[in-house]
Amino acid sequence: MKGIQVFLIVRIVGLPDPVSEFRRDALWTHLEPVRGLSEYPRPVATDPPPAELIEDVAGPGVDFLCHAADLLGFVAMAREVHEQSATWGPFKHVYPQGTAPLQAAAFAAALAGDSALCEQMAAAVLAEEQDRREVRDFKAELAQVRPG
């Protein structure tokens, strides 16, 4: 029998259509590892969901999804994820990893109209990212939203 897996995704809305294959504009994680599970048990269709699933969605799941109340809150959350080596709160694996949280932070700062913060996040990406394709794609995406 297959179990239940829950993906939690916080994505920036309001960006133009992507110009690259993989724009880094979201943070996501799995809920199950909070309890050390690979999946929640799936009940028979007539039974309610497991209590642990409801508790985890209502607790840490909602905390992750609602932590960033606005774009600048998303910037702060993405920076936390990056500074804590792709972890946040009880979530030990937040994706995408590497400079992706900083890229997302730069996009959020740009949409918020905070030029200085956008430039700070962009500079951090460019200083850390070793993959030329990632840098090229990031610059192309940021050019669409960078405050002028």
Side-chain angles (χ1 to χ4, degrees), residues 13-63:
V13 296
L15 291 170
D17 289 338
V19 294
S20 63
E21 186 176 3
F22 299 109
R23 178 171 63 197
R24 312 302 186 192
D25 59 2
L27 300 173
W28 61 273
T29 191
H30 299 270
L31 186 60
E32 306 78 44
V34 168
R35 283 196 191 262
L37 302 171
S38 60
E39 58 191 27
Y40 292 92
R42 187 173 82 185
V44 177
T46 57
D47 291 345
E52 297 85 2
L53 173 61
I54 302 300
E55 291 169 12
D56 292 349
V57 167
V62 169
D63 290 346

